[in-house]
């Protein structure tokens, strides 16, 4: 068997030593693993829309602008809604006037005519009563016949009935409309009030304001475009809607609890930020497509969410990777 040259045998230790030295240098330069958990910042956006459709007349905000609660965001054209509001207001006034008229009874001139008739009937009844008494006296003295007394008695009875009739008509005229008519007029007023409230709501909903302090993340329409009912026009990101999402191995998940404080760091951050855990996912993420056993349980991770205080979250940006460390 032919032996290896002496020069080759001497070069083997040199190459082996160089390989080991390079491996040590690579290991020394590799970054140390993080002591916490990896995650990212996530924003839960608020898509602001109007319940009614229309042309976008005015967009009061721009992307990247910060708004406070009550600041106007956008306004849709509302000419039809304002016309409906004026119509509803007119119908309400009409119903109120009708109820007031029904409650007053007949007009003053009509009441005056009935009062004059009542006075005439009362005078006639009084005269008939006097004539009846005189006729009775004359009949007792046998001056007039019985038929003359009967005529006087019938005249007195007729005039008294006429007086009762005119008195009843006068009382009815003063009472106003019947209870059913008054109830119908009151119901008409309630319906007109509801229609006016709906019209006012429609006008108010065409102008949308911010419900809370937020960052204008995006604007989805431009003035002059038609916006369908319920279609978002502005996307807002309130500070309290910025969360940190991170994944915890199955072995560490059981030690976490709700409201537990975690410290969050990201690139360029000197002082860690504090957040509180407000969600512990009950289901594992990225489950391997094999049966559970002791060997693959370490591959299971659980999603955990934590929220910042609004003043802390104001300068954070969704999508930014972070490192999270749980505080015992």
């Amino acid at each position: 068997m032919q032996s290896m040259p002496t020069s080759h045998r001497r070069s083997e230790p040199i190459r082996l030593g160089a390989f080991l030295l390079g491996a040590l240098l690579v290991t020394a330069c590799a970054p140390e693993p993080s002591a916490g958990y990896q995650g990212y910042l996530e924003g839960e956006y608020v898509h602001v829309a109007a319940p009614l459709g229309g042309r976008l007349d005015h967009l009061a905000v721009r992307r990247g602008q910060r708004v406070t609660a009550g600041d106007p965001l956008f306004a849709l054209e509302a000419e039809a809604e304002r016309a409906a509001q004026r119509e509803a207001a007119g119908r309400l006034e009409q119903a109120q006037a009708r109820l007031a008229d029904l409650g007053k009874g007949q007009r003053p001139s009509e009441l005056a005519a009935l009062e004059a008739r009542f006075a005439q009937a009362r005078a006639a009844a009084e005269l008939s009563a006097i004539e009846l008494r005189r006729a009775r006296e004359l009949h007792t003295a046998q001056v007039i016949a019985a038929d003359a007394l009967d005529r006087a008695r019938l005249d007195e009875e007729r005039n008294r009935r006429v007086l009762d009739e005119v008195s009843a008509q006068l009382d009815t005229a003063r009472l106003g409309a019947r209870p059913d008519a008054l109830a119908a007029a009151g119901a008409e007023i309630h319906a007109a009030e509801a229609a006016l409230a709906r019209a006012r709501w429609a006008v108010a909903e065409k102008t949308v304001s911010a419900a809370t302090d937020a960052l204008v993340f995006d604007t989805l329409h431009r003035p002059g475009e038609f916006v369908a009912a319920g279609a978002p026009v502005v996307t807002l990101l309130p500070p309290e809607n910025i969360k940190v999402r991170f994944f915890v191995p199955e072995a560490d998940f059981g030690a976490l609890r709700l409201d537990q404080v975690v410290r969050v760091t990201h690139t360029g951050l000197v002082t860690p930020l504090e957040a509180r855990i407000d969600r512990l996912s009950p289901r594992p993420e990225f489950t391997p497509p094999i049966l559970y056993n002791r060997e693959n349980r370490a591959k299971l991770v659980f999603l955990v969410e934590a929220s910042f205080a609004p003043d802390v979250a104001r300068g954070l940006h969704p999508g930014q990777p972070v490192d999270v460390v749980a505080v015992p």
Side-chain angles (χ1 to χ4, degrees), residues 106-320:
Q106 296 187 9
R107 292 175 293 182
S109 59
E110 296 173 340
L111 291 176
L114 287 175
E115 290 173 353
R117 287 184 56 192
F118 177 75
Q120 293 174 1
R122 183 173 56 185
E126 292 176 355
L127 179 61
S128 298
I130 295 174
E131 291 179 349
L132 178 60
R133 287 195 301 268
R134 183 180 298 113
R136 285 173 179 172
E137 293 175 356
L138 295 175
H139 181 269
T140 302
Q142 297 182 354
V143 176
I144 61 174
D147 57 348
L149 176 61
D150 293 337
R151 283 194 299 270
R153 185 176 64 255
L154 293 175
D155 290 341
E156 189 275 337
E157 184 178 357
R158 183 182 66 251
N159 292 332
R160 181 161 40 85
R161 296 291 180 84
V162 172
L163 177 62
D164 293 340
E165 179 185 1
V166 176
S167 177
Q169 291 177 356
L170 182 59
D171 293 339
T172 302
R174 289 171 177 171
L175 288 176
R178 291 175 296 180
D180 293 342
L182 294 175
E188 186 178 357
I189 288 179
H190 292 321
E193 289 174 345
L196 179 58
R198 183 177 65 241
R200 287 174 176 171
W201 172 85
V203 172
E205 290 299 320
K206 284 302 189 75
T207 301
V208 180
S209 301
T212 184
D213 298 352
L215 171 71
V216 179
F217 181 79
D218 198 2
T219 56
L220 307 177
H221 291 274
R222 295 182 179 181
E225 295 180 346
F226 182 84
V227 181
V233 177
V234 177
T235 302
L236 299 181
L237 179 59
E240 59 270 18
N241 286 15
I242 298 179
K243 301 177 180 292
V244 55
R245 289 183 175 179
F246 58 98
F247 299 90
V248 179
E250 185 268 342
D252 299 341
F253 183 72
L256 299 180
R257 63 186 185 277
L258 291 177
D259 292 330
Q260 182 176 354
V261 176
V262 295
R263 291 193 176 94
V264 182
T265 58
H266 59 79
T267 304
L269 184 64
V270 178
T271 304
L273 304 177
E274 287 191 355
R276 290 187 178 273
I277 296 177
D278 56 10
R279 181 194 175 193
L280 297 171
S281 177
R283 295 181 300 179
E285 305 285 339
F286 307 118
T287 305
I290 52 179
L291 297 177
Y292 293 126
N293 54 48
R294 293 182 179 179
E295 286 73 16
N296 63 36
R297 284 179 60 184
K299 299 179 182 180
L300 298 179
V301 292
F302 289 81
L303 173 65
V304 181
E305 291 184 355
S307 299
F308 301 93
D311 55 342
V312 175
R314 184 175 295 273
L316 299 179
H317 304 283
Q320 191 171 13

Side-chain angles (χ1 to χ4, degrees), residues 71-82:
D71 288 348
L73 298 178
F74 61 90
L76 303 179
E77 58 87 16
E79 291 301 324
E81 286 74 16
R82 293 190 183 95

